[in-house]
Amino acid sequence: MTERLFLALWPGAAVRRTLAALVRGAAAAHGRPTHPADLHLTLVFLGPLGESQRRCVEQVADALHAAPFRLRLERLGHWRGPRVLWCAPNETPAGLVRLVDGLNAGLTDCGLALERRPYRPHVTLARQVGADPPDERPIAPIDWPVGDFVLAGGSGGGPPRYRIHRRWPLRP
């Protein structure tokens, strides 16, 4: 099966433990929980890429200048259509907006069909959520110091299991 690639924020151990507790609590009762090792926040979904497109993506990431920032996950919710349980920030930090905008601007030269919908940062806690997921509600804030981003991928077909191919530090 062809690997689908994406650029993402990958939490460190402390944030991952906190997110994993959310998965065990809220997500376990409401669908197929995300494996703790797979918890991430997608920046840009790329899909399957040829070798030249992948090199282009890596060159865009190599050249990107975006400062580290703090992400604060503060609410739990779900989307009924795709049946996804998620946690997200109340407000998208300016650093995250600059990072995503910078990546998207550079990736247009790679010949990729990028997402046209507005960006909605979130961490997927569970998929295939049943008919009665919890209402959107505040959670104890999860403070996530973001200092890098990654190129990751997975082949789908069963429970997702992703692997990180490359990591880039954020720098002003």
Side-chain angles (χ1 to χ4, degrees), residues 79-164:
W79 292 312
R80 291 193 191 287
R83 298 174 49 205
V84 167
L85 183 69
W86 49 261
C87 68
N90 286 333
E91 294 183 24
T92 305
L96 178 55
V97 172
R98 284 190 292 277
L99 175 59
V100 171
D101 287 351
L103 288 168
N104 282 326
L107 293 172
T108 58
D109 294 337
C110 297
L112 301 173
L114 300 176
E115 187 69 50
R116 298 276 184 226
R117 293 180 291 187
Y119 181 64
R120 293 166 46 175
H122 66 281
V123 175
T124 297
L125 301 176
R127 297 183 182 283
Q128 299 175 349
V129 174
D132 62 345
D135 292 330
E136 189 168 325
R137 64 179 168 84
I139 58 171
I142 301 169
D143 186 44
W144 181 348
V146 178
D148 61 11
F149 66 101
V150 303
L151 173 65
S155 53
R161 289 310 311 261
Y162 303 119
R163 112 183 137 102
I164 295 173

